[in-house]
Amino acid sequence: MIIYFSGTGNSRHVALTLGQELRDSSVVELTGDFLRFPELLRLESGEGQRVIWVFPTYSWGVPPVMVDVIKKIKIDGGEWADHYLVTTCGDDIGKCHQQWRELISARWWKPIATFSVQMPNTYVCMKGFDVDSQQVAEGKIHESSLRVRSIADFIRQRFEIDDVVEGRWPKIKSRFIYPYFKKHYMSPEGFRVREDACVSCGRCARECPMDNIELKGKFPVWGAGCAFCLRCYHGCPAHAIEYGQTTEGKGQYLFPGKK
């Protein structure tokens, strides 16, 4: 079984590709009520089976929405299954994999192995951060296919390994920057719409995985329950959504074919 959460399509691509490589048709997307009320989601696993978690790394840590899911989701037989992490990132993941191991172990589940997959950058909400150039993005996507194939082999052979790119100063990034980022830079209050550019298509509201956006009149309004996946920003066909002033002039990215 593969359980995944994806904002702009990178993790979705990895999850579906991994499912094909492992011939695993049990691929579950976390969206809507399953994200907002993860205690409602009940899945089945069992002895000798696998649970593979796929999601993006957020500021060198597990996305808060996934922390909540892992703590509350019900998996029948989860204690007998082997659990794996495959996390996508722009460059490196710090100690995200260790945080995941602690969360899984706290449920009395077995964390077997962790893997990271470099994919095109999507974070744009701070100065100095932007999407990759088209050439760099295409190169990462090409390499990711080879990477996922290798990960599938490791999983089939049940290797107990942390095959991840931690990057420089991983402990500092995950123990200090991650909680600071989570507290100060994940508020939906920063989102705004340029009314002169918005075409009122409603795509942001329809595709928000948390059902956190609604149109009031012609324009979108964000609620408090934001996963901060940036799907609204990157998916806006008019490029009318901004996050404060930090995204002005920056690019957009959705996984090819998702547009």
Side-chain angles (χ1 to χ4, degrees), residues 33-153:
D33 284 349
F34 292 156
L35 280 179
R36 294 187 296 130
F37 310 107
E39 62 274 12
L40 299 180
L41 182 58
R42 193 178 196 107
L43 303 174
E44 292 186 9
S45 184
E47 188 171 4
Q49 296 187 16
R50 298 183 293 242
V51 178
I52 304 172
W53 300 83
V54 182
F55 54 76
T57 296
Y58 274 24
S59 188
W60 304 289
V62 177
V65 68
M66 286 304 304
V67 172
D68 196 44
V69 167
I70 294 172
K71 286 181 176 180
K72 296 179 180 179
I73 191 174
K74 298 179 178 67
I75 301 180
D76 292 338
E79 67 274 22
W80 302 110
D82 292 339
H83 291 256
Y84 296 86
L85 168 66
V86 181
T87 183
T88 58
C89 61
D91 297 292
D92 53 69
I93 71 165
K95 294 293 184 179
C96 176
H97 59 303
Q98 287 192 0
Q99 184 187 2
W100 173 83
R101 281 185 175 276
E102 291 169 3
L103 289 166
I104 293 296
S105 296
R107 294 292 308 269
W108 297 99
W109 296 339
K110 295 181 295 182
I112 302 299
T114 64
F115 307 91
S116 63
V117 181
Q118 288 187 337
M119 294 293 286
N121 283 308
T122 63
Y123 185 69
V124 293
C125 295
M126 291 179 68
K127 291 182 179 180
F129 290 83
D130 202 348
V131 298
D132 289 324
S133 67
Q134 182 176 350
Q135 182 179 6
V136 171
E138 290 175 351
K140 286 183 175 181
I141 292 171
H142 173 72
E143 291 297 323
S144 72
S145 297
L146 303 177
R147 173 66 173 153
V148 172
R149 191 174 305 158
S150 174
I151 290 172
D153 287 338

Side-chain angles (χ1 to χ4, degrees), residues 212-226:
N212 187 53
I213 303 173
E214 62 175 320
L215 293 186
K216 290 190 176 180
K218 295 182 179 180
F219 306 115
V221 175
W222 284 259
C226 180

